[in-house]
């Protein structure tokens, strides 16, 4: 028996030594052609920036370990400074919680393989991007960010002497199917259907739009359409990315199951699906949300592009509300409990957009219809809501705007909230 135990111990020791000496394998960037094909490039102010985000499987091949299972997502950056001025890349503006290369390597390290771990640390350190890009210089490498799925918002901010050059990318990642239509204005409506409006006509058109979204057949009332955004996707989406909003996953069986676990058992699921409601005879073009610990508590919104174009920019209309828990109906149906004070969610959105520093103007128009809290309206599923009846209108630009410079549409008085 002692000999058997001694033999087992020797086998365990040999296995441990073998594991400790096992090599660390990685693949070069060129070995992942699909990643390079998905790379996006923008040029501005004499600077060219290219970004790429590997899928979870591609990341594992490139770094030899499943970084995604550790909540880490590497982002490839290639910055070519064609100017006579030096610039600094700001990683914290891309992801305030980014990981250092050694921090990422420590998260993913092996047990009982010190040699492989040391190789991993060396590989991670060698591949990181240098933040300083001198005049006529070039810098390329990885930044280790927190994991996103489906679509990755990427801010690349470069600071020079009395100058800030900003780039924003929305990079699709294989895997998660998000509730996001990429069609531009003309693809949805056709050039001949788009209506250019001045400020007076814009106000009038927004006041005439439907008060609320509807069910698919148009017969049932859904969420009030309580805000308007004016700008291109490249102008609007960075503001949401900077203030912590995320895409929602398309409602499919797997997503529905994950949402169920999040709602009832408190599991985190920041991509929880947002149900379809309808305006202009179609479901929402875009869904976004900002969740707490579980999907039962979240701000969520839906957006539709309208036929309107103001000062050359598309006009979007949307609804925003806040889920605050679960509601158990008389028929045993379990649904979201929506905060009936939808004006509070509208005010929250305006505050977020002001905080993003990309808001160029705002104001309020009528259109929803005033409903007091003492006699709320109800959606098709019985969910109540009350409102002052106004829509928040927000316009966006591609440059920072100080609070003193923001344009105010003097259409309706400022609401109480």
């Amino acid at each position: 028996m002692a000999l058997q135990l001694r033999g087992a111990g020797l086998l365990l020791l040999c296995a441990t030594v073998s594991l400790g000496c096992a090599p660390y394998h990685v693949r070069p960037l060129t070995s992942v052609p699909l990643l390079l094909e998905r790379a996006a490039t923008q040029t501005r102010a004499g600077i060219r920036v290219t970004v790429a985000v590997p899928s979870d499987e591609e990341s594992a091949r490139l770094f030899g370990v499943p970084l995604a299972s550790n909540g880490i997502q590497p982002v490839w950056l290639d910055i070519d400074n064609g100017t006579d001025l030096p610039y600094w890349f700001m990683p914290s503006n891309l992801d305030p919680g980014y990981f250092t290369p050694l921090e990422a390597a420590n998260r993913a390290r092996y047990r009982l393989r010190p040699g492989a771990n040391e190789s991993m640390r060396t590989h991670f350190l060698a591949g990181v991007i240098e933040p300083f890009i001198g005049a006529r210089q070039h810098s390329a490498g990885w930044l280790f960010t927190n994991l996103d799925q489906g679509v990755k918002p990427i801010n690349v901010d470069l600071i020079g002497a009395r100058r800030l050059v900003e780039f924003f990318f929305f990079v699709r990642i294989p895997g998660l199917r998000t509730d996001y239509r990429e069609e531009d204005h003309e693809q949805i409506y056709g050039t001949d259907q788009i209506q250019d409006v001045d400020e007076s006509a814009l106000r009038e058109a927004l006041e005439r739009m439907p008060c609320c979204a509807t069910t698919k057949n148009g017969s049932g009332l859904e969420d009030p359409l309580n805000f308007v955004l004016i700008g291109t996707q490249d102008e609007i989406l960075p503001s949401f990315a900077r203030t912590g909003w995320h895409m929602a996953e398309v409602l499919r069986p797997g997503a529905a199951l994950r949402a169920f676990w999040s709602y009832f058992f408190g599991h985190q699921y920041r991509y929880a699906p947002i149900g379809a409601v309808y305006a202009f005879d179609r479901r929402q073009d875009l869904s976004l949300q900002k969740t707490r610990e579980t999907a039962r508590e979240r701000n969520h919104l839906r957006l539709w592009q309208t036929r309107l174009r103001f000062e050359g920019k598309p006009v979007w209309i949307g609804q925003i509300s806040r889920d605050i828990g679960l509601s158990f109906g008389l028929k045993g149906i379990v649904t979201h409990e929506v905060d009936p004070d939808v004006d509070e969610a509208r005010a929250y959105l305006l505050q977020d957009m002001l905080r993003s520093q990309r808001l160029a103007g705002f104001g309020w128009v009528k259109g929803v219809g005033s409903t007091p809290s003492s006699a709320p309206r109800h959606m098709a599923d019985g969910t109540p809501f009350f409102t002052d009846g106004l829509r928040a209108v927000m316009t966006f630009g591609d440059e920072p705007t100080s609070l003193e410079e923001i344009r105010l549409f003097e259409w309706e008085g400022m609401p109480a909230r």
Side-chain angles (χ1 to χ4, degrees), residues 61-95:
R61 290 170 60 189
L62 290 165
F63 291 92
V65 285
L67 287 177
S69 64
N70 292 281
I72 299 172
Q73 186 169 59
V75 173
W76 173 258
L77 296 138
D78 189 317
I79 304 172
D80 188 9
N81 180 9
T83 75
D84 294 323
L85 298 172
Y87 282 90
W88 285 88
F89 163 58
M90 299 179 61
S92 62
N93 282 17
L94 195 159
D95 182 353

Side-chain angles (χ1 to χ4, degrees), residues 122-416:
T122 301
H123 178 66
F124 280 40
L125 275 171
V128 72
I129 187 169
E130 292 294 334
F132 178 76
I133 308 101
R136 305 290 173 180
Q137 297 297 310
H138 168 262
S139 182
W142 295 98
L143 180 68
F144 299 98
T145 71
N146 286 277
L147 182 67
D148 288 301
Q149 295 180 342
V151 179
K152 180 82 169 180
I154 299 176
N155 291 306
V156 180
D157 292 345
L158 303 174
I159 293 182
R162 298 182 299 277
R163 186 177 180 88
L164 173 65
V165 182
E166 300 172 297
F167 299 82
F168 179 79
F169 300 84
F170 234 60
V171 180
R172 281 198 174 275
I173 307 166
L176 190 78
R177 184 182 170 192
T178 54
D179 199 356
Y180 168 47
R181 291 168 54 117
E182 288 189 289
E183 290 92 340
D184 61 24
H185 214 182
E186 287 77 11
Q187 286 177 304
I188 293 177
Y189 288 109
T191 305
D192 59 331
Q193 295 180 303
I194 296 173
Q195 180 185 358
D196 285 288
V197 292
D198 59 17
E199 184 174 325
S200 176
L202 173 67
R203 177 183 182 181
E204 182 180 347
L206 293 178
E207 289 179 345
R208 288 200 313 266
M209 284 191 177
C211 76
C212 306
T214 69
T215 54
K216 187 173 183 178
N217 63 12
S219 63
L221 192 72
E222 292 289 354
D223 304 80
L225 299 173
N226 55 357
F227 72 94
V228 174
L229 307 180
I230 302 172
T232 65
Q233 290 189 31
D234 288 342
E235 292 170 334
I236 292 172
L237 291 178
S239 294
F240 284 95
R242 287 188 176 100
T243 50
W245 291 81
H246 296 282
M247 292 287 181
E249 188 172 1
V250 171
L251 183 58
R252 295 183 293 178
L257 181 60
R258 287 189 290 275
F260 172 83
W261 282 99
S262 179
Y263 298 151
F264 290 97
F265 300 103
H267 292 190
Q268 190 173 41
Y269 184 20
R270 64 174 177 168
Y271 304 102
I274 295 173
V277 298
Y278 291 78
F280 314 116
D281 299 319
R282 69 178 190 275
R283 73 189 307 281
Q284 63 266 21
D285 300 325
L286 173 65
S287 298
L288 295 168
Q289 62 187 320
K290 188 187 288 191
T291 63
R292 296 192 190 274
E293 289 79 9
T294 72
R296 73 179 70 161
E297 295 179 352
R298 60 178 177 174
N299 276 303
H300 69 282
L301 61 84
R302 304 174 177 94
L303 277 170
W304 294 261
Q305 285 196 53
T306 73
R307 298 177 188 272
L308 303 177
R309 186 165 56 196
F310 177 67
E311 296 182 346
K313 299 182 180 184
V315 177
W316 307 66
I317 195 165
Q319 70 76 213
I320 182 170
S321 57
R322 184 189 292 264
D323 290 340
I324 57 175
L326 297 178
S327 175
F328 299 85
L330 295 177
K331 298 180 180 180
I333 299 175
V334 181
T335 62
H336 292 290
E337 182 180 358
V338 178
D339 190 330
D341 184 2
V342 293
D343 294 347
E344 191 285 328
R346 181 195 66 195
Y348 178 87
L349 177 62
L350 178 57
Q351 293 173 69
D352 251 4
M353 297 302 97
L354 285 166
R355 188 162 59 90
S356 77
Q357 298 183 343
R358 286 299 181 278
L359 200 62
F362 68 93
W364 289 268
V365 296
K366 298 176 181 177
V368 178
S370 178
T371 302
S373 58
S374 58
R377 274 183 280 179
H378 292 81
M379 301 180 205
D381 63 357
T383 299
F385 69 90
F386 56 86
T387 172
D388 59 20
L390 299 179
R391 289 175 171 139
V393 180
M394 292 164 267
T395 66
F396 293 80
D398 57 4
E399 295 291 338
T401 303
S402 67
L403 293 176
E404 295 82 5
E405 297 173 324
I406 292 178
R407 173 183 185 180
L408 181 63
F409 294 102
E410 297 180 355
W411 293 336
E412 301 293 335
M414 186 174 295

Side-chain angles (χ1 to χ4, degrees), residues 53-66:
V53 183
S55 67
D56 296 351
E57 294 77 13
E58 291 167 341
S59 172
R61 290 170 60 189
L62 290 165
F63 291 92
V65 285

Side-chain angles (χ1 to χ4, degrees), residues 95-116:
D95 182 353
Y98 73 91
F99 302 89
T100 70
L102 293 184
E103 185 181 16
N106 281 348
R107 271 202 172 199
R109 63 188 169 190
Y110 300 104
R111 294 182 180 179
L112 307 177
R113 291 179 61 181

